[in-house]
Amino acid sequence: AVKNELAKVETLNTFEDFKNNLTQLVFHSQAPLPFSFSVEPDMKDAIHYSLGFSGPGLILPDTTYYNDEHPRKKELLDFWAKNTSEILKTFDVENAEEIAKSALKFDALLVPSANTSEEWAKYAELYHPISTDSFVSKVKNLDLKSLIKDLVKTEPDKVIVYEDRFYESFDLLINEENWSLIKAWMLTKIARGATSFFNEDLRILGGAYGRFLSNVQEARSQEKHQLDLTESYFSQVIGLFYGKKYFGEAAKADVKRMVTAMIKVYQARLSKNEWLSQETAEKAIEKLDAITPFIGFPDKLPEIYSRLKTTSGSLYEDALKFDEILTARTFEKFSEDVDKTSWHMPAHMVNAYYSPDSNTIVFPAAILQAPFYSLEQSSSQNYGGIGAVIAHEISHAFDNNGAQFDKEGNLNKWWLDKDYEAFEEKQKEMIALFDGVETEVGPANGKLIVSENIADQGGITAALTAAKDEKDVDLKAFF
Ligand SMILES: [Zn+2]
């Protein structure tokens, strides 16, 4: 079956063949294209979807790894090349070493046009809409007009470009001259992606580069691997099972009460705020009041799960079919309204998030457990745990990115200019506070982590205020 997937690319002898098979590759193959279209809520009109465009991503974790001074650049690329050629050989691919090297050559060409991690971190600033007509006419080497129509079955008025430099360099990168490198790059991606589905030796080989990158000695156990794979297709299904089994109505009501208390703390802080004008503070309170909390687990599963059925008797074949169904679903969504009640995290994940496009805060059941939270713990323990998490997520609504979205979830400046300038000054202070701080993995990059630092700082101070409002406050337990 893997050979069949590889053959779908191997048989594309020329760039012309590639050009004529774009739609087929997207919907019916494991081959990634060397560019990417996505369907996401439109940042300026978050009830509708927009078609996004970006580059294909890099092999190393981000652009900084490609600097010649980066201490791990060479060893990581060498390891990847060796590991990838071994994987290709297990699928009887000829010229495996050559293919791995060519893939790295294409990857190297992509580096200057890829967004840096700092650019990705300021995601509200990556929204660059271009009319579909001018978007497609700038690209001469491929017929993106037809491809877009095949993908979303309609002609959208605009495309949102998230990686400007990649778009600007499109024809310089994706062309006949580079076709053999692109082809090699696609083959390596198919082969590496298939290693999870067969025997134990291949699985261990497929994970070797990832372990080398993150300095992990041992491979995941077979049992955890099985959970990972199942989760990669059925995360919400597992989450709903977990939520119903381990999270009850009493805890839900209690957490809801804590969310309300935390929102009250923010309301009080905003009404006493001294550096914002009253006008901006009132708008902030409106946004705060409009935040919708989701607690525990969702009411229902997305319909897509009923379409995923294991029928072939082969894990890989089933995965291929699931991927086809999921890709079709991604583009099918384009013409629907955004379902703002859907969850982007399963209930069994120990994590939480704020979604700027729906102005929601989401707390999966698994983080609503000790030590973060328990009905058996004191109020101070709970405020120091889940209270700080709740307030952290609320703060994201007002961090350097979240602050640019209004209460409906649209990118829309609701601040007075002078207030936003004052906020930018405060961001600079937060960046400076953390920039260069030594950590066990090297000095911190203040710009990269500023949104999390804002959320942590806001979160812990608001949770502390709420804890102090309770009669049984115990600061030792809080911290
Ligand atoms: Zn966060």
Side-chain angles (χ1 to χ4, degrees), residues 352 392-393 396 451-452 455-456:
H392 171 108
E393 300 309 337
H396 275 313
S451 60
E452 292 307 322
D456 280 341

Side-chain angles (χ1 to χ4, degrees), residues 198-218:
F198 299 95
N199 60 54
E200 188 68 353
D201 287 348
L202 187 55
R203 176 177 84 86
I204 304 287
L205 184 66
Y209 167 73
R211 291 192 296 278
F212 182 67
L213 172 67
S214 29
N215 287 317
V216 171
Q217 304 303 319
E218 291 261 311

Side-chain angles (χ1 to χ4, degrees), residues 368-393:
L368 304 173
Q369 305 282 340
F372 283 103
Y373 172 79
S374 161
L375 281 167
E376 322 278 288
Q377 291 178 176
S378 71
S379 77
S380 285
Q381 277 176 297
N382 282 340
Y383 275 118
I386 200 66
V389 175
I390 293 169
H392 171 108
E393 300 309 337

